[in-house]
Amino acid sequence: MPPSDFANADIDKIVDALTTDEAILLSAGVGFWHTHAIERLQIPAVKVSDGPNGIRGNHFFMGTPAKCLPSSTAMGATFDRDLLEEVGLKLLAREAKLRSASVILAPTCNIQRNPLGGRSFESFSEDPFLSGMLCSAYINGIQKGGIGATIKHFVGNDKEDDRTGYDSIHYRTTSSGDLSPSVHAGSRNMPLHGAIMTAYNRVNGIHVCENPELLQKILRDEWKSDVMIMSDWFGTYSVDVGLNAGLDLEMPGLNKWRSLESVNRSIQSRKVTAKKVKERARKVLELVKKCAQGAPEILDGDGLERTLDSDEDNALMRKFAAESIVLLKNDKKVLPLDRKSLKKVAIVGGNAKAAVLSGGGSAALKPSYFVARPAGLVKALKEVNPNIEVTYSEGARAAKTLPTLDFDLFTESGQRGWTGSWHAHENDDSLVALPTPIKTQYVDETRMFISSSSPAGITKKWTLRMKGYLKPRERDCKFEFGLTAAGRAKLFVDGKLVIDNWTRQRRGVEFFGCGSEEETGVVELKAGVKHEIYVDFCNVRGPADGDETETIMDSNPGIRLGGAEVEDPDELLNSAVSIAKDADAVIIVVGLNGDWETEGNDRTTLALPGRTDELVQKVVAANPRAVVVTQAGSAITMPWVDQVSSLLHTWYLGNATGDAIADVIFGNHNPSGKLSLTFPKRLEDVPAHGYFHSEKGKVTYAEGLYVGYKHYQHRNIEPLFAFGHGLSYTSFNISDLRLSQPIVSGDQFDLKATVKLTNTGNITGSQVVQLYIGLPKTSELTHPRWQLRGFKKMRDVKPGESREVELVMDRLSVSYWDKEWVVENGAYDVRVAFTSEEGVGEGQELLGRFNVEKGFGWRGL
Ligand code: BGC
């Protein structure tokens, strides 16, 4: 029988037939990415894969090249449900099939309480309504493609430091604030085909994976959800407590809590019943059945991972990336740049050449192709004027760790990359590597998160020796190397020890918190000379001050070799200023990367790295028409903002980065992105400032509902750029707000708002009409001044064209949480605009009001 026959399985019968041991096996994964198969009952395994900006496949190390989509904050900035659904169906579901995965570990829908959160880039927005709506569109697309989605992380994982330990202390927020992206997503989507992933943290004292209030009372009883609940990776912390609370699947299947021995012991000691374990197994079986129905070809396939890009996919990737770019300023209308009139263009900045395409952690993947920024810009310029001169200067270093050497090292035979030899040790406990390798392997990356990808049959402790060559092209130089290890490592250049990250180490944050600090060493390299680069790595961590234990990195070993020519920082900055002076257009590209913004740890500042701010100030002073392109998955501060007249924010854009940026800069694409989160003027203005860090394990959500723009409006703090802000190369007007009579019928609510949108400029453009609700002032509770409760992206409105825009409100649009959802009697204010910023003038915002006379309370979705 083909495995996909499970699509017709009688789950009741199979559950009856399961032995207790089989039920236990089903309740935990196998390896990193699979559920358990039971041959006796013809139960196939299904594979899951990260998520959320692409489908990485099984391996972090030498992974299968895949499409890297824009970060979720960029997706949020499109404010475009149709586009997200299209991307879910045409890109994500297909990519999942190419990787043989039936379930995607995405979307991430946590909330950016503070843009410092290491994974802020991975969630859609600071606003639960926008987040939930986009989440549901994304899931709909994936599900239409027959693939399951996983809403993660349920709930409260909105910071990274201490993520498995801290306790998110909520008061009014539990349902109305933090859970409500899930509410909004769920209400438009149930029954979800896929799963929910529990967050690592505690909520109100109890870890989510052990929390019956969240898993049973809210998710199962109140929301009537029948999805399978899985733990985050290594985020199961008990045997019986999780099983009783409702956690169906422990992931991954390494170092399991739910081993046959420990669950059986819990059953014998009556901590958990065999019936309960079968209940958990049933949910896993239901998911397997849905997977067999949704995409049978995956279960019947060969399980291999493939890469396939088509022109059509590339065009959608490029459009998607361009749609998310936000034009923050264009005071002097310098943008779009007119390519025909340019003779000399300077490209400046630490992010201009760097291969930055996604945030770090489980969202990162190996891209199937990458259009770098200069490549995209130069291609677009030369299309119009082949003789144009383009100059470049890095200007200021922006990297947290030295850049990887993926494109600098080469092998003995001249191929890009280096060669690794895997050595077993004398025995599992020995630190002595055997001389003959058990495998040699070509490797094309120098950040190698090996995770569980060591060769089969290797001893528990093992050694990997990497060898390659480096040849400076242009000049003799001093070259600085950086070596980080989750394990221990040494770097030798031409046979000489340059870095010892082995004998004593400093614990760092790389590789999900398992890596060392980066150790560095400088070597003189000769132009045209082939220098031998050799790294000796062992998967056992060395002793460090305060931690003398030599732990085996069994699931997280990794090595990172980086490097760059040593530059004099003043000379570097001056060279940028001098080419800017000399050019008739300057494009400054600055920002962060996946080392600064990553799973595993939070940022400590919103400022751009090193001397980046000074670079922008000096280059703009030298050439005031310079265009600034910022890149970050979340908010950054911009002390130079008043000096700059043209400013684009470009998130992390994935494979199509360079093309998408060029499309907007040169006007092939009229920007329509809107900020999915507020950019504050200073860190101290952020809502969760002072309440963000885990203090002895406690994180108090003291800002309550006042997250993002709600906080800035409540306290009258002017942000740098408001939520929902984003300009266009054309201009728009709205008029004629009409509100229908609200209809209350039982516990349902219906009201339509219509406005007229007119393109008053000279070129075609898209605009997002945003509807904010102000709850009745007569309420006994204090509410945010305005809350986004409706939006619509109007695409390609022609110059002079007017369109009627209809925004439908349901009960969730007018509700707040107070032990249940409440629609209160009273007067509701309505504000329709193109941004959350108030007082933007005539034709840019409309105000209205409606009354609810017969309010009601409701629960569920
Ligand atoms: C992350 C999850 C991810 C999982 C598998 C965890 O570290 O928190 O979001 O899906 O790893 O990679």
Side-chain angles (χ1 to χ4, degrees), residues 581-644:
K581 262 190 199 143
D582 216 25
D584 41 24
V586 182
I587 301 167
I588 307 175
V589 191
V590 290
L592 305 176
N593 61 23
D595 291 333
W596 296 108
E597 287 186 275
T598 181
E599 179 176 342
N601 61 282
D602 298 315
R603 275 190 289 162
T604 52
T605 170
L606 294 178
L608 289 173
R611 292 174 72 177
T612 305
D613 286 333
E614 184 187 347
L615 171 76
V616 178
Q617 263 146 5
K618 292 200 164 140
V619 172
V620 173
N623 193 328
R625 289 172 62 79
V627 172
V628 179
V629 176
T630 51
Q631 183 180 32
S634 179
I636 46 176
T637 47
M638 305 179 184
W640 32 260
V641 74
D642 293 336
Q643 284 157 259
V644 168

Side-chain angles (χ1 to χ4, degrees), residues 557-595:
I559 322 163
R560 184 184 189 289
L561 177 67
E565 272 187 42
V566 176
E567 297 266 13
D568 176 277
D570 291 326
E571 275 173 29
L572 203 60
L573 217 136
N574 292 341
S575 83
V577 172
S578 94
I579 64 165
K581 262 190 199 143
D582 216 25
D584 41 24
V586 182
I587 301 167
I588 307 175
V589 191
V590 290
L592 305 176
N593 61 23
D595 291 333

Side-chain angles (χ1 to χ4, degrees), residues 827-847:
Y828 288 70
D829 290 320
V830 176
R831 175 174 180 273
V832 185
F834 306 134
T835 167
S836 70
E837 189 184 344
E838 295 172 87
V840 281
E842 218 190 306
Q844 300 299 296
E845 64 182 339
L846 300 167
L847 295 174

